[in-house]
Amino acid sequence: MQSVSVAEETPLGPTPEPFELREEHRHRTGHCRKRLLHLGDSLFSLFLITPMVVAHWRGTWGWMDLNGSHFPGWLCFVLGATLHTTFALLREPLNAALTLARAAPKSRWSGVKRWLVNRMYTYAFSMACLMHWRGGWNVMELYFAFNLLPALSISAICLVGLVLSKSVRNLLAPPFIILTDRKEAMFSFPTRFRMKVNICSLLNR
């Protein structure tokens, strides 16, 4: 009778783990990591980004209030709306110029210049937002004062308009919406219909 060795009956190597168990373990690890990243992102947005954004808004708003004679309500509202419209019309030309600048030979000065232009553009945009907000706020205070019924009526009418135009999410602000500084989207921002407007073609008509 031929004997069978123990080495032949019992494999020396480890038993391979089934594919399903490995996939389940990987899925659980990835899910746990996503939860931790989501928690960290929420805490970072809530306790760091949001206070700095609110401080910038409140500080600039307060400075305008202290110099109210130079920043009347209607002037702020019209100027803020005009700047918003200008930035919207200039999106495509500015992005085209940015693309050409990136295709040019790179240098340290060109990188610094793009960084400065980006920050100046963002600050100017924030001032436009602040003036638009503050101007509209002051105009409503001027005509509706602090009475409860007019305030609720205006809020209800505006909310219905947002619902009908499917734009209720525009009510969100930090910490629910956080944008990062990305090089590929320096002059881009979303609009209601996300239409690309070429201001050069409009001017040539």
Side-chain angles (χ1 to χ4, degrees):
M1 180 181 296
Q2 186 178 2
S3 60
V4 180
S5 62
V6 179
E8 293 178 354
E9 293 180 354
T10 306
L12 297 178
T15 304
E17 187 179 9
F19 177 77
E20 292 79 5
L21 294 179
R22 291 200 303 270
E23 286 297 318
E24 183 179 358
H25 176 71
R26 186 181 305 171
H27 177 73
R28 288 181 179 178
T29 304
H31 190 64
C32 182
R33 184 180 303 172
K34 285 182 179 180
R35 285 188 174 183
L36 290 176
L37 288 175
H38 179 70
L39 176 62
D41 181 66
S42 300
L43 294 177
F44 180 79
S45 302
L46 182 62
F47 293 107
L48 186 63
I49 301 297
T50 301
M52 290 191 293
V53 171
V54 172
H56 166 72
W57 274 62
R58 185 64 186 95
T60 309
W61 191 307
W63 178 75
M64 290 182 180
D65 286 341
L66 292 176
N67 299 273
S69 59
H70 300 287
F71 299 97
W74 272 111
L75 176 63
C76 284
F77 183 78
V78 173
L79 185 57
T82 303
L83 287 174
H84 268 127
T85 305
T86 303
F87 288 143
L89 293 176
L90 290 178
R91 277 183 309 172
E92 300 306 319
L94 289 175
N95 280 321
L98 178 63
T99 303
L100 292 176
R102 286 178 180 165
K106 295 183 179 180
S107 64
R108 181 173 298 180
W109 167 242
S110 62
V112 172
K113 186 167 62 175
R114 283 198 300 269
W115 186 88
L116 289 174
V117 169
N118 186 6
R119 297 308 180 271
M120 292 172 60
Y121 170 84
T122 304
Y123 184 75
F125 209 138
S126 72
M127 292 297 294
C129 292
L130 277 165
M131 286 189 290
H132 206 172
W133 269 71
R134 182 180 175 276
W137 198 291
N138 288 352
V139 168
M140 284 191 288
E141 285 183 351
L142 178 64
Y143 289 99
F144 301 105
F146 296 97
N147 298 321
L148 179 61
L149 184 59
L152 293 178
S153 301
I154 291 295
S155 297
I157 292 172
C158 293
L159 182 60
V160 170
L162 289 173
V163 171
L164 294 177
S165 60
K166 298 181 180 180
S167 304
V168 181
R169 291 184 64 192
N170 288 280
L171 296 175
L172 297 180
F176 301 104
I177 294 179
I178 300 295
L179 301 177
T180 57
D181 299 333
R182 296 181 300 165
K183 295 181 180 179
E184 65 274 10
M186 183 181 297
F187 302 109
S188 297
F189 56 91
T191 56
R192 176 62 183 86
F193 298 103
R194 294 177 175 82
M195 295 178 63
K196 294 183 178 181
V197 179
N198 191 341
I199 190 172
C200 298
S201 62
L202 293 177
L203 295 176
N204 292 331
R205 289 183 179 180

